[in-house]
């Protein structure tokens, strides 16, 4: 099992795609271990994308990522990093395969609906950027909830 960080970016939230994106993860066997809606400050967006600080699109990207609410999620499953990136599609929606989130809904290379970690190292950094360990619900509890009427 592997974990990855997913973000539904401000364009995905604004277009009403939260449910659509989550449905695709669930249909592909990815379990949601943690989830929250946030509105990042510019500084928080800069910190998250620090790996891109020298790229020409850094200012525009961090303006965009702090422009409205986002949904951040920890996904877990077999090969979750690769699987999530397959479901998302290529960075530029024009290059993304048919049936991927970015191809189906992305406007252009920056406003491409979703983010996904690209390696185990970035997943660890990105999950830790938004979540403390106690915020991750144990997988066993997700798969077989304990409670009144559910035993
Ligand atoms: P990824 O999201 O597919 O991993 P990265 O290269 O890590 O792609 O870029 C991070 C994000 O920065 C992209 O998802 C996109 O929103 C934005 N981005 C990447 N390349 C460009 C570009 O050339 N122009 C504008 N924005 C870009
Ligand atoms: Mg990336």
């Amino acid at each position: 099992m592997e974990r990855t960080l997913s973000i539904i970016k401000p364009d995905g939230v604004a277009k009403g795609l939260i449910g659509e994106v989550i449905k695709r993860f669930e249909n592909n066997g990815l379990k949601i271990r943690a989830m929250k809606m946030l509105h990042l400050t510019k500084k928080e967006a800069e910190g998250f994308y620090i790996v891109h600080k020298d790229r020409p699109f850094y200012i525009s990207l961090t303006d965009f990522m702090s422009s409205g609410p986002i949904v951040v999620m920890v996904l877990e499953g077999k090969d979750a990093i690769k699987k999530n990136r397959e479901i998302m599609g290529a960075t530029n929606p024009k290059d993304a395969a048919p049936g991927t989130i970015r191809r189906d809904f992305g406007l252009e290379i920056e406003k491409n609906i979703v983010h996904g970690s690209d390696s185990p190292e970035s997943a660890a950094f990105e999950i830790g950027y938004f979540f403390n360990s106690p915020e991750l619900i144990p997988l066993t509890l997700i798969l077989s909830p304990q409670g009144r009427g559910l035993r």
Side-chain angles (χ1 to χ4, degrees):
M1 290 301 232
E2 190 175 63
R3 282 179 217 163
T4 189
L5 185 88
S6 165
I7 303 179
I8 305 175
K9 297 183 179 186
D11 56 335
V13 173
K15 287 177 172 174
L17 294 171
I18 297 172
E20 176 67 32
V21 169
I22 289 175
K23 184 178 82 178
R24 291 179 184 216
F25 295 153
E26 291 186 328
N27 286 350
N28 282 281
L30 291 170
K31 300 296 179 192
I32 300 169
R33 292 282 308 276
M35 172 162 62
K36 55 187 156 189
M37 184 177 255
L38 299 169
H39 188 168
L40 299 183
T41 63
K42 171 81 170 166
K43 286 229 171 321
E44 288 167 339
E46 287 170 350
F48 179 77
Y49 276 120
I50 194 72
V51 64
H52 291 315
K53 68 175 166 31
D54 297 323
R55 306 286 285 276
F57 56 83
Y58 183 63
I59 293 173
S60 174
L61 174 63
T62 53
D63 278 344
F64 165 55
M65 289 300 288
S66 57
S67 68
I70 62 172
V71 174
V72 293
M73 283 173 273
V74 177
L75 306 178
E76 185 165 313
K78 190 171 182 302
D79 296 323
I81 295 171
K82 186 164 156 266
K83 190 177 275 184
N84 180 36
R85 291 192 66 93
E86 283 169 5
I87 297 166
M88 288 163 49
T91 307
N92 191 335
K94 287 203 260 312
D95 302 328
T100 61
I101 293 170
R102 284 167 163 177
R103 173 67 170 265
D104 288 350
F105 305 111
L107 183 67
E108 36 96 350
I109 192 163
E110 180 180 84
K111 296 178 179 61
N112 58 4
I113 310 288
V114 278
H115 166 87
S117 310
D118 65 2
S119 67
E121 295 71 31
S122 67
F125 167 76
E126 293 176 357
I127 290 169
Y129 198 80
F130 291 117
F131 296 96
N132 306 126
S133 340
E135 292 181 289
L136 270 69
I137 305 296
L139 198 56
T140 47
L141 198 50
I142 295 169
L143 296 174
S144 58
Q146 313 245 288
R148 278 196 296 175
L150 288 171
R151 287 177 201 277

